Amino acid sequence: MADVLKNKDEVGHILVQVQDDLRQLKKNLVRLTVQENGEVLDIQALDVAISRTEHGIRVYKSISVPAAVSKYPFTIAEGQIDPEDPDYCRFKKQYCLYWGAIVEALDQLQRMLLDFAVPLARVCGERLAACVQSGELDWRDSRGRLAHVEKLLSVLENRDEVWDLMCQPGQRYKGIEGHQAAAVRIQTCWRRYSAHTAYLLQLRPKWAAQVIAISLLKHAKLGHLKKSLQASRIRQLENYRIRAESLAANWKHITSAKRTIIHVPSLGYSQHQRLSLRGFDVLQNTQMGRLCDIRDENVEVIYVSPVCLGKDVLQYYTRLLGLQTAIELGDASAPESHCSKRFTVLMPEALEYFPTRNMCLASLLKYSPRTLQRIKNLIQGKQVYMISGVTCIDDLAVADELKVPLLGTEPAVTQLYSTKSGGRRIFSSAGVDMPPGKWDIYTLEQLHEGLARLMTEHMEVQRWLFKIDSEVGGRGTACCDACHLKCRPWAQQEFSRYGPEQWRTSQSQIKFLEEVPHLLASYAHPANTSCYATWTCFLEHFLREGGVIEAFPPSDSVTCLTVDLLVEPGGDVCMLSCGDQLRGPSGLEVVGCTVPQTSICPDVLHSICTRVGQACQKRSIMGHISLDLVTFLDPSNLEQQVWAIDLDLGYSNQLAMTQLMLMMTRGTLDCRTSKLEVPPPVRDVNTRMSLSRMLTNRFAVMCTRLLHTNLSLVYYSTFFLMCKAQGIGYDVKARQGTVFALHDSRDRRSLGMLTISEDLQGALLTFARNLSIIHQEISAPNMQGANNFKVCGCRFFLTYS
């Protein structure tokens, strides 16, 4: 048998011959019955034997026995060693001194090969003896069973073929005691599953208890945190009120003594508004004209910037503010004044932490401890108050941290009355004229019924406006023309026949109500499609946020103006700025303004502003507010009408540009007379004449945000050289010309511009000329860039014409 196993071809031939003999026996014996120990064998036993022989031949042929690579190889067939095998005998004789340990290793190897039904394995004798001598085949080794198996397989010359066979699924159960091993395996898996399931059932109450405990702990901590925040905000609000009372009591003394003003131009809009505004950080920094408060020698300014300003911008404002001496003397060669010691520009370190969050400046400053500490060091021992933009709860937190009063309104009051509906409430209580309209609209039914009723009561109105309560800057405005009503001709005839009183009591409102849904769906459209592309989108936000319906003035000549008021803590109302708005082609967006206003009688304007300011004071509104008015000639009687249309609570861009204008002219803006009076330079003062006779009037045109993407391609130094070459500049002696307001150092896509002249036409013409020159210098025929220069320039030119 050993000779047969020595040659693979002979073994294969013998197996094939056995298979043929079994098949021949099956053919000869159609039915064979043998009685042996009371059992019956038939032809089916031969079928089983034949199939097993075929399987053995396939497995045997799948294993390739490499040529002998050692001096003492021997073969293990079917897990058994033939003791008469010459190779085995020569191996035993060679390593007889270690035979006890070798026998133990061979027993382990045979057991493994029997367990996995390995038909043939060829052992390398030298490798086996070396492993035994080094102790690597010690089964008591702590490295694990898998490591021991790998060591056993390492002594085989056909290790890879044996390992592949052992790794086949179910091979372990084909060997000796395979059925028992399979049964043990099945029982083990089932017991493990049963035990694991029982364990999970036992742990489920514990897990539930842990989840409940953790949830309760989180809820308790969250509740404690909410109570802590609520208590902190209540404390901050109480401190704000206490400091506001102290500020009101000492206001006259503070404004006449040396003081420090902390300017935080923060726009505390809602998160939805902040995220929808592009370039929100630059938008907050359009009020760097606040620095010009230092024109009062008793004032020091700390300006907190919402953007990172480079040396170019800081150097520009240092030189601009240093022109005070030159402007006063009327000599451009005069040395710069030492004003840099009276203003400080700070940038919160939180700008680096939240670059894309569109957070308001007050929130960024709140999370900037180093900047807060620096402000504390700068204001130590001084009279200080803080001016924000649109106040929010973080303004109170910053003011409380700095322990300074805030010249502004409580955030809750600001949120209530800075809406379109809130403004109309104040106008109603102040007794000023408003456009016909309806406010606090939140449902589609209210919108349709309100518009139908307003159309019925005001047949003279040709256009109706829809304004979202929470939007600012003309973004949330839509319009619809009444001329598209099918029943409009009939309604006008009936109105002429019955007169206003009987017409309003008729059933005409029902007809309007039937056509209003179709009218709005077909002809209503947003004024600014970049924010709301369609009427459907606008209507969704309108009903969610609330809004107003408002009549557009029934006239072809309409002028809007903005007045900036200061409701002082002491109770007085001061007019700080007044200017006529310059609107875009749609008539609903503001592109600039002219100062002072020339549209309304100053006495009428002062009366309206005083009443609005007093109404605001009764509602605990304090600080800077901006009032928008519209004036036109009533077609029915040709009398001038003035309507109050909007109210913004906060420091406005127009006021910041007005501060820049007053510093550059050393003049005084008297809103009671609507005059900008400029004194002559000190060197030209005639002592024989009274100063009032030497004053001259000036007019200014200002725009806070001129946008042009090509500006980012030009550095500010190059830009000013270009302007100088084109004759764009400011004459300190004549106190007229052009001044720019820079906003940022990174994008450089927007800037403000102010032109001052002896007459309004000259200021408008200079502004339009500057826009045309700048656009031509920074643009090419194939690279015009996105801008609003053409819109502003055309509007100013039309106004001039």
Side-chain angles (χ1 to χ4, degrees), residues 299-323:
V299 174
E300 294 182 1
V301 171
I302 298 175
Y303 181 86
V304 183
S305 173
V307 296
C308 294
L309 299 177
K311 292 183 180 179
D312 50 354
V313 176
L314 296 177
Q315 185 179 13
Y316 171 77
Y317 279 104
T318 301
R319 291 184 177 180
L320 185 67
L321 297 173
L323 291 176

PDB file of all heavy atoms in Angstrom, residues 299-323:
ATOM      1  N   VAL A 299     -15.796 114.601  22.084  1.00  0.00           N
ATOM      2  CA  VAL A 299     -16.250 113.232  21.811  1.00  0.00           C
ATOM      3  C   VAL A 299     -15.065 112.363  21.402  1.00  0.00           C
ATOM      4  O   VAL A 299     -14.224 112.769  20.578  1.00  0.00           O
ATOM      5  CB  VAL A 299     -17.323 113.219  20.701  1.00  0.00           C
ATOM      6  CG1 VAL A 299     -17.687 111.786  20.321  1.00  0.00           C
ATOM      7  CG2 VAL A 299     -18.563 113.967  21.164  1.00  0.00           C
ATOM      8  N   GLU A 300     -15.006 111.191  21.982  1.00  0.00           N
ATOM      9  CA  GLU A 300     -14.127 110.115  21.538  1.00  0.00           C
ATOM     10  C   GLU A 300     -15.004 108.962  21.058  1.00  0.00           C
ATOM     11  O   GLU A 300     -16.050 108.694  21.654  1.00  0.00           O
ATOM     12  CB  GLU A 300     -13.200 109.645  22.665  1.00  0.00           C
ATOM     13  CG  GLU A 300     -12.197 110.684  23.114  1.00  0.00           C
ATOM     14  CD  GLU A 300     -11.286 110.149  24.202  1.00  0.00           C
ATOM     15  OE1 GLU A 300     -11.446 108.967  24.583  1.00  0.00           O
ATOM     16  OE2 GLU A 300     -10.417 110.905  24.679  1.00  0.00           O
ATOM     17  N   VAL A 301     -14.564 108.295  20.005  1.00  0.00           N
ATOM     18  CA  VAL A 301     -15.379 107.256  19.379  1.00  0.00           C
ATOM     19  C   VAL A 301     -14.624 105.930  19.423  1.00  0.00           C
ATOM     20  O   VAL A 301     -13.439 105.869  19.085  1.00  0.00           O
ATOM     21  CB  VAL A 301     -15.739 107.616  17.922  1.00  0.00           C
ATOM     22  CG1 VAL A 301     -16.402 106.431  17.222  1.00  0.00           C
ATOM     23  CG2 VAL A 301     -16.656 108.823  17.893  1.00  0.00           C
ATOM     24  N   ILE A 302     -15.326 104.889  19.849  1.00  0.00           N
ATOM     25  CA  ILE A 302     -14.845 103.511  19.723  1.00  0.00           C
ATOM     26  C   ILE A 302     -15.785 102.828  18.743  1.00  0.00           C
ATOM     27  O   ILE A 302     -16.966 102.628  19.035  1.00  0.00           O
ATOM     28  CB  ILE A 302     -14.840 102.779  21.074  1.00  0.00           C
ATOM     29  CG1 ILE A 302     -13.902 103.468  22.059  1.00  0.00           C
ATOM     30  CG2 ILE A 302     -14.428 101.320  20.884  1.00  0.00           C
ATOM     31  CD1 ILE A 302     -13.937 102.863  23.450  1.00  0.00           C
ATOM     32  N   TYR A 303     -15.253 102.498  17.589  1.00  0.00           N
ATOM     33  CA  TYR A 303     -16.067 101.895  16.528  1.00  0.00           C
ATOM     34  C   TYR A 303     -15.716 100.414  16.421  1.00  0.00           C
ATOM     35  O   TYR A 303     -14.552 100.048  16.204  1.00  0.00           O
ATOM     36  CB  TYR A 303     -15.822 102.598  15.188  1.00  0.00           C
ATOM     37  CG  TYR A 303     -16.640 102.067  14.038  1.00  0.00           C
ATOM     38  CD1 TYR A 303     -17.923 102.536  13.808  1.00  0.00           C
ATOM     39  CD2 TYR A 303     -16.133 101.096  13.183  1.00  0.00           C
ATOM     40  CE1 TYR A 303     -18.684 102.059  12.737  1.00  0.00           C
ATOM     41  CE2 TYR A 303     -16.878 100.604  12.119  1.00  0.00           C
ATOM     42  CZ  TYR A 303     -18.156 101.092  11.911  1.00  0.00           C
ATOM     43  OH  TYR A 303     -18.910 100.601  10.872  1.00  0.00           O
ATOM     44  N   VAL A 304     -16.727  99.562  16.572  1.00  0.00           N
ATOM     45  CA  VAL A 304     -16.543  98.118  16.445  1.00  0.00           C
ATOM     46  C   VAL A 304     -16.944  97.725  15.031  1.00  0.00           C
ATOM     47  O   VAL A 304     -18.096  97.917  14.627  1.00  0.00           O
ATOM     48  CB  VAL A 304     -17.379  97.351  17.489  1.00  0.00           C
ATOM     49  CG1 VAL A 304     -17.110  95.848  17.376  1.00  0.00           C
ATOM     50  CG2 VAL A 304     -17.054  97.830  18.896  1.00  0.00           C
ATOM     51  N   SER A 305     -15.995  97.190  14.282  1.00  0.00           N
ATOM     52  CA  SER A 305     -16.232  96.874  12.875  1.00  0.00           C
ATOM     53  C   SER A 305     -16.711  95.433  12.713  1.00  0.00           C
ATOM     54  O   SER A 305     -16.132  94.517  13.307  1.00  0.00           O
ATOM     55  CB  SER A 305     -14.949  97.079  12.068  1.00  0.00           C
ATOM     56  OG  SER A 305     -15.110  96.618  10.744  1.00  0.00           O
ATOM     57  N   PRO A 306     -17.739  95.214  11.893  1.00  0.00           N
ATOM     58  CA  PRO A 306     -18.207  93.841  11.638  1.00  0.00           C
ATOM     59  C   PRO A 306     -17.410  93.105  10.573  1.00  0.00           C
ATOM     60  O   PRO A 306     -17.714  91.954  10.276  1.00  0.00           O
ATOM     61  CB  PRO A 306     -19.656  94.054  11.189  1.00  0.00           C
ATOM     62  CG  PRO A 306     -19.644  95.388  10.546  1.00  0.00           C
ATOM     63  CD  PRO A 306     -18.613  96.211  11.275  1.00  0.00           C
ATOM     64  N   VAL A 307     -16.417  93.762   9.968  1.00  0.00           N
ATOM     65  CA  VAL A 307     -15.551  93.116   8.970  1.00  0.00           C
ATOM     66  C   VAL A 307     -14.109  93.409   9.337  1.00  0.00           C
ATOM     67  O   VAL A 307     -13.805  94.367  10.060  1.00  0.00           O
ATOM     68  CB  VAL A 307     -15.852  93.614   7.531  1.00  0.00           C
ATOM     69  CG1 VAL A 307     -17.245  93.244   7.106  1.00  0.00           C
ATOM     70  CG2 VAL A 307     -15.640  95.123   7.433  1.00  0.00           C
ATOM     71  N   CYS A 308     -13.207  92.582   8.827  1.00  0.00           N
ATOM     72  CA  CYS A 308     -11.777  92.804   9.040  1.00  0.00           C
ATOM     73  C   CYS A 308     -11.304  93.905   8.088  1.00  0.00           C
ATOM     74  O   CYS A 308     -11.372  93.742   6.867  1.00  0.00           O
ATOM     75  CB  CYS A 308     -10.997  91.510   8.814  1.00  0.00           C
ATOM     76  SG  CYS A 308     -11.359  90.212  10.009  1.00  0.00           S
ATOM     77  N   LEU A 309     -10.856  95.005   8.651  1.00  0.00           N
ATOM     78  CA  LEU A 309     -10.411  96.145   7.857  1.00  0.00           C
ATOM     79  C   LEU A 309      -8.896  96.106   7.720  1.00  0.00           C
ATOM     80  O   LEU A 309      -8.169  95.886   8.694  1.00  0.00           O
ATOM     81  CB  LEU A 309     -10.848  97.453   8.518  1.00  0.00           C
ATOM     82  CG  LEU A 309     -12.359  97.661   8.675  1.00  0.00           C
ATOM     83  CD1 LEU A 309     -12.645  98.956   9.395  1.00  0.00           C
ATOM     84  CD2 LEU A 309     -13.047  97.647   7.320  1.00  0.00           C
ATOM     85  N   GLY A 310      -8.417  96.334   6.499  1.00  0.00           N
ATOM     86  CA  GLY A 310      -6.985  96.370   6.248  1.00  0.00           C
ATOM     87  C   GLY A 310      -6.399  97.736   6.531  1.00  0.00           C
ATOM     88  O   GLY A 310      -7.093  98.717   6.845  1.00  0.00           O
ATOM     89  N   LYS A 311      -5.091  97.807   6.366  1.00  0.00           N
ATOM     90  CA  LYS A 311      -4.403  99.065   6.628  1.00  0.00           C
ATOM     91  C   LYS A 311      -4.840 100.141   5.649  1.00  0.00           C
ATOM     92  O   LYS A 311      -4.826 101.337   5.985  1.00  0.00           O
ATOM     93  CB  LYS A 311      -2.895  98.854   6.527  1.00  0.00           C
ATOM     94  CG  LYS A 311      -2.329  97.967   7.634  1.00  0.00           C
ATOM     95  CD  LYS A 311      -0.817  97.860   7.502  1.00  0.00           C
ATOM     96  CE  LYS A 311      -0.242  96.968   8.618  1.00  0.00           C
ATOM     97  NZ  LYS A 311       1.238  96.831   8.492  1.00  0.00           N
ATOM     98  N   ASP A 312      -5.216  99.747   4.422  1.00  0.00           N
ATOM     99  CA  ASP A 312      -5.615 100.753   3.429  1.00  0.00           C
ATOM    100  C   ASP A 312      -6.854 101.514   3.872  1.00  0.00           C
ATOM    101  O   ASP A 312      -6.904 102.743   3.788  1.00  0.00           O
ATOM    102  CB  ASP A 312      -5.830 100.087   2.072  1.00  0.00           C
ATOM    103  CG  ASP A 312      -6.736  98.863   2.161  1.00  0.00           C
ATOM    104  OD1 ASP A 312      -7.097  98.475   3.289  1.00  0.00           O
ATOM    105  OD2 ASP A 312      -7.078  98.292   1.094  1.00  0.00           O
ATOM    106  N   VAL A 313      -7.865 100.783   4.376  1.00  0.00           N
ATOM    107  CA  VAL A 313      -9.098 101.443   4.813  1.00  0.00           C
ATOM    108  C   VAL A 313      -8.860 102.270   6.074  1.00  0.00           C
ATOM    109  O   VAL A 313      -9.325 103.415   6.192  1.00  0.00           O
ATOM    110  CB  VAL A 313     -10.200 100.399   5.046  1.00  0.00           C
ATOM    111  CG1 VAL A 313     -11.463 101.058   5.592  1.00  0.00           C
ATOM    112  CG2 VAL A 313     -10.528  99.667   3.754  1.00  0.00           C
ATOM    113  N   LEU A 314      -8.121 101.707   7.029  1.00  0.00           N
ATOM    114  CA  LEU A 314      -7.844 102.444   8.262  1.00  0.00           C
ATOM    115  C   LEU A 314      -7.026 103.701   7.973  1.00  0.00           C
ATOM    116  O   LEU A 314      -7.283 104.772   8.548  1.00  0.00           O
ATOM    117  CB  LEU A 314      -7.104 101.533   9.242  1.00  0.00           C
ATOM    118  CG  LEU A 314      -7.887 100.310   9.744  1.00  0.00           C
ATOM    119  CD1 LEU A 314      -7.015  99.452  10.649  1.00  0.00           C
ATOM    120  CD2 LEU A 314      -9.143 100.739  10.491  1.00  0.00           C
ATOM    121  N   GLN A 315      -6.065 103.599   7.079  1.00  0.00           N
ATOM    122  CA  GLN A 315      -5.262 104.764   6.725  1.00  0.00           C
ATOM    123  C   GLN A 315      -6.106 105.812   6.012  1.00  0.00           C
ATOM    124  O   GLN A 315      -5.926 107.023   6.227  1.00  0.00           O
ATOM    125  CB  GLN A 315      -4.089 104.334   5.840  1.00  0.00           C
ATOM    126  CG  GLN A 315      -3.113 105.456   5.523  1.00  0.00           C
ATOM    127  CD  GLN A 315      -1.954 104.968   4.670  1.00  0.00           C
ATOM    128  OE1 GLN A 315      -1.999 103.872   4.124  1.00  0.00           O
ATOM    129  NE2 GLN A 315      -0.917 105.776   4.545  1.00  0.00           N
ATOM    130  N   TYR A 316      -7.052 105.363   5.181  1.00  0.00           N
ATOM    131  CA  TYR A 316      -7.923 106.319   4.480  1.00  0.00           C
ATOM    132  C   TYR A 316      -8.751 107.132   5.471  1.00  0.00           C
ATOM    133  O   TYR A 316      -8.814 108.367   5.374  1.00  0.00           O
ATOM    134  CB  TYR A 316      -8.838 105.557   3.518  1.00  0.00           C
ATOM    135  CG  TYR A 316      -9.925 106.420   2.912  1.00  0.00           C
ATOM    136  CD1 TYR A 316      -9.643 107.314   1.882  1.00  0.00           C
ATOM    137  CD2 TYR A 316     -11.240 106.355   3.386  1.00  0.00           C
ATOM    138  CE1 TYR A 316     -10.633 108.115   1.329  1.00  0.00           C
ATOM    139  CE2 TYR A 316     -12.233 107.143   2.835  1.00  0.00           C
ATOM    140  CZ  TYR A 316     -11.929 108.021   1.811  1.00  0.00           C
ATOM    141  OH  TYR A 316     -12.910 108.811   1.276  1.00  0.00           O
ATOM    142  N   TYR A 317      -9.378 106.457   6.439  1.00  0.00           N
ATOM    143  CA  TYR A 317     -10.220 107.194   7.391  1.00  0.00           C
ATOM    144  C   TYR A 317      -9.376 108.037   8.333  1.00  0.00           C
ATOM    145  O   TYR A 317      -9.823 109.107   8.787  1.00  0.00           O
ATOM    146  CB  TYR A 317     -11.095 106.217   8.171  1.00  0.00           C
ATOM    147  CG  TYR A 317     -12.319 105.787   7.392  1.00  0.00           C
ATOM    148  CD1 TYR A 317     -12.392 104.542   6.802  1.00  0.00           C
ATOM    149  CD2 TYR A 317     -13.383 106.651   7.216  1.00  0.00           C
ATOM    150  CE1 TYR A 317     -13.502 104.145   6.074  1.00  0.00           C
ATOM    151  CE2 TYR A 317     -14.507 106.277   6.483  1.00  0.00           C
ATOM    152  CZ  TYR A 317     -14.562 105.021   5.914  1.00  0.00           C
ATOM    153  OH  TYR A 317     -15.655 104.648   5.191  1.00  0.00           O
ATOM    154  N   THR A 318      -8.166 107.598   8.646  1.00  0.00           N
ATOM    155  CA  THR A 318      -7.292 108.436   9.482  1.00  0.00           C
ATOM    156  C   THR A 318      -6.958 109.739   8.772  1.00  0.00           C
ATOM    157  O   THR A 318      -7.002 110.826   9.365  1.00  0.00           O
ATOM    158  CB  THR A 318      -6.005 107.670   9.821  1.00  0.00           C
ATOM    159  OG1 THR A 318      -6.339 106.459  10.519  1.00  0.00           O
ATOM    160  CG2 THR A 318      -5.100 108.507  10.708  1.00  0.00           C
ATOM    161  N   ARG A 319      -6.629 109.653   7.487  1.00  0.00           N
ATOM    162  CA  ARG A 319      -6.334 110.866   6.726  1.00  0.00           C
ATOM    163  C   ARG A 319      -7.579 111.711   6.509  1.00  0.00           C
ATOM    164  O   ARG A 319      -7.520 112.953   6.535  1.00  0.00           O
ATOM    165  CB  ARG A 319      -5.714 110.485   5.388  1.00  0.00           C
ATOM    166  CG  ARG A 319      -4.318 109.887   5.511  1.00  0.00           C
ATOM    167  CD  ARG A 319      -3.716 109.631   4.144  1.00  0.00           C
ATOM    168  NE  ARG A 319      -2.342 109.128   4.243  1.00  0.00           N
ATOM    169  CZ  ARG A 319      -1.590 108.819   3.203  1.00  0.00           C
ATOM    170  NH1 ARG A 319      -2.086 108.952   1.968  1.00  0.00           N
ATOM    171  NH2 ARG A 319      -0.361 108.374   3.372  1.00  0.00           N
ATOM    172  N   LEU A 320      -8.721 111.034   6.266  1.00  0.00           N
ATOM    173  CA  LEU A 320      -9.965 111.780   6.032  1.00  0.00           C
ATOM    174  C   LEU A 320     -10.367 112.563   7.276  1.00  0.00           C
ATOM    175  O   LEU A 320     -10.714 113.746   7.187  1.00  0.00           O
ATOM    176  CB  LEU A 320     -11.074 110.806   5.631  1.00  0.00           C
ATOM    177  CG  LEU A 320     -12.414 111.425   5.221  1.00  0.00           C
ATOM    178  CD1 LEU A 320     -12.263 112.189   3.915  1.00  0.00           C
ATOM    179  CD2 LEU A 320     -13.486 110.352   5.067  1.00  0.00           C
ATOM    180  N   LEU A 321     -10.298 111.911   8.428  1.00  0.00           N
ATOM    181  CA  LEU A 321     -10.653 112.604   9.665  1.00  0.00           C
ATOM    182  C   LEU A 321      -9.600 113.626  10.060  1.00  0.00           C
ATOM    183  O   LEU A 321      -9.897 114.577  10.800  1.00  0.00           O
ATOM    184  CB  LEU A 321     -10.842 111.593  10.789  1.00  0.00           C
ATOM    185  CG  LEU A 321     -11.984 110.582  10.577  1.00  0.00           C
ATOM    186  CD1 LEU A 321     -11.984 109.532  11.663  1.00  0.00           C
ATOM    187  CD2 LEU A 321     -13.331 111.286  10.527  1.00  0.00           C
ATOM    188  N   GLY A 322      -8.367 113.426   9.571  1.00  0.00           N
ATOM    189  CA  GLY A 322      -7.325 114.400   9.866  1.00  0.00           C
ATOM    190  C   GLY A 322      -7.414 115.672   9.046  1.00  0.00           C
ATOM    191  O   GLY A 322      -6.605 116.589   9.233  1.00  0.00           O
ATOM    192  N   LEU A 323      -8.388 115.755   8.138  1.00  0.00           N
ATOM    193  CA  LEU A 323      -8.561 116.962   7.307  1.00  0.00           C
ATOM    194  C   LEU A 323      -9.329 118.062   8.028  1.00  0.00           C
ATOM    195  O   LEU A 323      -9.591 119.113   7.425  1.00  0.00           O
ATOM    196  CB  LEU A 323      -9.306 116.607   6.019  1.00  0.00           C
ATOM    197  CG  LEU A 323      -8.561 115.739   4.994  1.00  0.00           C
ATOM    198  CD1 LEU A 323      -9.481 115.402   3.830  1.00  0.00           C
ATOM    199  CD2 LEU A 323      -7.308 116.450   4.496  1.00  0.00           C
TER     200      LEU A 323
END
